[in-house]
C-alpha cells in the first residue's frame, strides 16, 4: 500500500489514509473519522482537483452529519453502504443527507457491492474513496488484501 499524502499534518505516512490501489479505477480507503480528518480529505481532493466517487458508511451513534456536510463539492456522488455492525447507520439516512448537500446519494447495502458499484461509476480513469468511519475502511482494506 502506498500512502499518497500526509493527511495528518505531521510529516508521517499514515496507514488508513488514502491507501490508493493500482488498477482502474483506483480505490483509496481513507479513515477520516473526525471533523479535522474530513476537512483535510476535502482540502486534499480540492487541491488535487479530484472529483471522486465516494463509498460512505458510518455508525448511527457517531457524529456523522458533519462528515457529509464537509465533503461537497470535491465529491461527485456518494454510494452509502451499511457497515458490518449492529450500530450501523441506516444507509438511506446518510443518502438523504448527501442529497441535501447536492451530491447524489445512492444506497447499496453490501459494502463489497458498494465499492464495485462506485468503481463502475468512476470509470477506468476515476478514483473511489471509501470513507466515513474505520469500519468501512477496514472492511475494504481487508478485501483488497485478500484479492492480492
Amino acid at each position: 500500500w502506498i500512502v499518497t499524502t500526509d493527511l495528518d499534518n505531521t510529516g508521517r505516512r499514515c496507514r488508513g489514509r488514502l491507501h490508493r490501489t493500482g488498477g482502474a479505477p483506483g480505490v483509496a480507503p481513507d479513515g477520516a473519522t473526525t471533523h479535522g480528518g474530513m476537512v483535510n480529505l476535502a482540502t486534499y481532493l480540492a487541491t488535487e482537483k479530484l472529483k471522486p466517487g465516494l463509498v460512505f458508511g458510518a455508525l448511527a451513534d457517531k457524529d456523522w452529519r458533519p462528515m457529509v456536510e464537509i465533503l461537497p463539492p470535491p465529491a461527485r456522488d456518494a454510494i452509502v453502504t451499511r457497515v458490518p455492525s449492529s450500530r450501523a447507520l441506516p444507509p438511506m439516512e446518510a443518502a438523504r443527507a448527501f442529497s441535501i448537500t447536492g451530491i447524489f446519494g445512492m444506497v447499496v447495502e453490501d459494502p463489497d457491492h458498494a465499492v464495485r458499484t462506485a468503481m463502475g461509476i468512476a470509470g477506468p480513469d476515476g478514483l473511489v474513496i471509501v470513507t466515513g468511519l474505520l469500519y468501512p475502511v477496514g472492511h475494504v482494506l481487508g478485501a483488497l488484501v485478500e484479492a492480492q
Side-chain angles (χ1 to χ4, degrees):
W1 302 101
I2 297 172
V3 179
T4 58
T5 189
D6 167 31
L7 290 179
D8 72 349
N9 298 318
T10 63
R12 296 174 301 168
R13 292 180 177 236
C14 287
R15 185 150 178 78
R17 297 300 317 262
L18 285 177
H19 288 236
R20 192 167 183 171
T21 66
V27 177
D30 185 66
T33 63
T34 65
H35 179 271
M38 280 293 171
V39 168
N40 286 345
L41 174 60
T43 301
Y44 170 75
L45 296 174
T47 301
E48 297 296 317
K49 297 183 178 18
L50 298 172
K51 299 277 289 174
L54 294 176
V55 175
F56 181 87
L59 298 177
D61 60 353
K62 299 297 180 188
D63 193 17
W64 59 270
R65 285 189 189 276
M67 296 180 197
V68 169
E69 293 165 359
I70 290 167
L71 288 170
R76 185 173 52 208
D77 358 70
I79 311 297
V80 184
T81 192
R82 183 174 302 276
V83 299
S85 170
S86 60
R87 298 171 22 229
L89 173 70
M92 184 56 75
E93 192 173 342
R96 277 191 217 107
F98 272 111
S99 294
I100 290 169
T101 70
I103 293 178
F104 176 71
M106 179 170 66
V107 172
V108 178
E109 289 276 339
D110 177 72
D112 295 325
H113 190 202
V115 171
R116 288 192 303 275
T117 300
M119 290 173 75
I121 291 169
D125 297 325
L127 175 65
V128 174
I129 302 243
V130 181
T131 195
L133 294 175
L134 291 177
Y135 278 80
V137 169
H139 179 83
V140 169
L141 279 172
L144 292 171
V145 167
E146 285 177 16
Q148 290 183 342

